[in-house]
Amino acid sequence: MRVIVFGGTSEGEEIACRLADAGLDVIVCVATEYGDECQERTGRLQVIAGRQDAAQIKSTVRNAAVCIDATHPYADIASENIRKGCLDAGVRLIRYVRPENILDDDVVIVDDASGAAEALRSIEGNVLLTTGAKELKVYSGLDTSRLYPRVLPLESSLNACMEAGIPVKNIIAMHGPFIEEMNIALIHQYDIKTMVSKNSGKAGGFDDKLKACRQNGCRLIVIGRPVKEEGWDSIDEIVNECLEVCNG
């Protein structure tokens, strides 16, 4: 029986691989070719690359026994399209929700990237932006010479940096997540005083960002999750449930 996994995260890849190893027909849907490249390394999965709207998702999942949404916790538009597509197709949906960190008072919490940019207006010093390339334009009103965005090594990411006016020498194009020591090294290398992050959980490298900031007196601004989601937070339980549905 077929299982559709909407991934692009390490958890999505793990779920898909474990189900494929158990003999299920697994299709992984990822938003970008970069995600496609990561998934193809397994050699056992069919991959569909490209963003899909709700109607396209309905077509993709219609013959599946179950669909798993293991997209990034901040991919709220994608998750809503997956939910609607599965509902319209009459296919059961399981949402994997990555656990988030409980934050202390030493962290500045904002609602979105615009809130982070506004907070930075009254903060001096260099800034390490670790929230991706999509919303870099909201920071273009700041002194971009002090902004150091860490983005995926993709042409689209570099173009976004250029459009936001980020100096070429400030662009850090690397694939994460990053361990604590790497975050510390970047803080020292670029004299970072503030880091901007999302609460992406341990799997997304947030723990290591938090530790690095605290050890080096670096302020941390965190963009809160867009919605409070309900779902499953155990990969083991999701895998077992899928096996039971497909083999039961």
Side-chain angles (χ1 to χ4, degrees):
M1 299 185 75
R2 175 166 292 175
V3 177
I4 308 294
V5 179
F6 283 86
T9 59
S10 59
E11 298 97 327
E13 185 169 339
E14 180 180 348
I15 291 169
C17 289
R18 288 176 60 175
L19 293 175
D21 286 341
L24 299 185
D25 176 15
V26 181
I27 296 177
V28 180
C29 299
V30 292
T32 65
E33 291 181 3
Y34 187 83
D36 186 5
E37 177 184 314
C38 291
Q39 296 288 355
E40 283 184 341
R41 280 196 285 239
T42 65
R44 297 188 299 276
L45 306 168
Q46 179 181 341
V47 178
I48 299 175
R51 302 185 189 280
Q52 300 183 54
D53 60 23
Q56 292 169 317
I57 290 170
K58 176 184 177 181
S59 177
T60 298
V61 306
R62 63 186 173 187
N63 294 319
V66 63
C67 175
I68 301 165
D69 177 5
T71 57
H72 195 275
Y74 286 79
D76 53 324
I77 295 176
S79 286
E80 177 57 24
N81 284 335
I82 294 167
R83 187 199 64 78
K84 188 174 188 308
C86 287
L87 181 64
D88 291 345
V91 173
R92 182 182 176 189
L93 172 64
I94 296 176
R95 170 58 166 154
Y96 171 76
V97 179
R98 180 186 289 174
E100 61 181 323
N101 291 66
I102 304 300
L103 303 176
D104 295 330
D105 293 340
D106 61 337
V107 173
V108 178
I109 303 174
V110 295
D111 291 334
D112 50 28
S114 296
E118 186 61 33
L120 288 171
R121 293 185 186 279
S122 59
I123 297 173
E124 297 182 351
N126 292 343
V127 181
L128 180 62
L129 300 173
T130 68
T131 55
K134 285 184 181 180
E135 297 178 308
L136 281 177
K137 277 190 176 180
V138 304
Y139 300 99
S140 59
L142 302 172
D143 176 7
T144 55
S145 69
R146 68 188 186 102
L147 302 181
Y148 292 80
R150 189 166 67 189
V151 298
L152 286 172
L154 298 171
E155 182 178 356
S156 57
S157 299
L158 297 178
N159 288 338
C161 290
M162 296 295 100
E163 291 172 5
I166 304 294
V168 173
K169 65 181 180 64
N170 288 21
I171 301 172
I172 306 169
M174 305 172 71
H175 174 51
F178 301 92
I179 62 173
E180 179 183 343
E181 288 79 7
M182 175 59 80
N183 287 302
I184 291 173
L186 291 176
I187 289 172
H188 290 167
Q189 174 72 26
Y190 298 107
D191 190 27
I192 299 298
K193 303 302 181 185
T194 303
M195 181 188 296
V196 180
S197 176
K198 294 177 179 178
N199 192 343
S200 52
K202 184 175 182 180
F206 183 76
D207 288 8
D208 291 301
K209 295 177 185 178
L210 185 60
K211 292 176 184 176
C213 286
R214 285 176 173 166
Q215 289 187 25
N216 291 272
C218 182
R219 180 185 289 102
L220 181 59
I221 297 176
V222 177
I223 298 173
R225 293 195 179 182
V227 291
K228 186 68 174 178
E229 292 188 289
E230 294 184 0
W232 302 49
D233 62 4
S234 168
I235 291 176
D236 288 341
E237 290 181 3
I238 290 176
V239 170
N240 291 336
E241 180 70 10
C242 288
L243 292 175
E244 185 174 332
V245 169
C246 293
N247 299 327

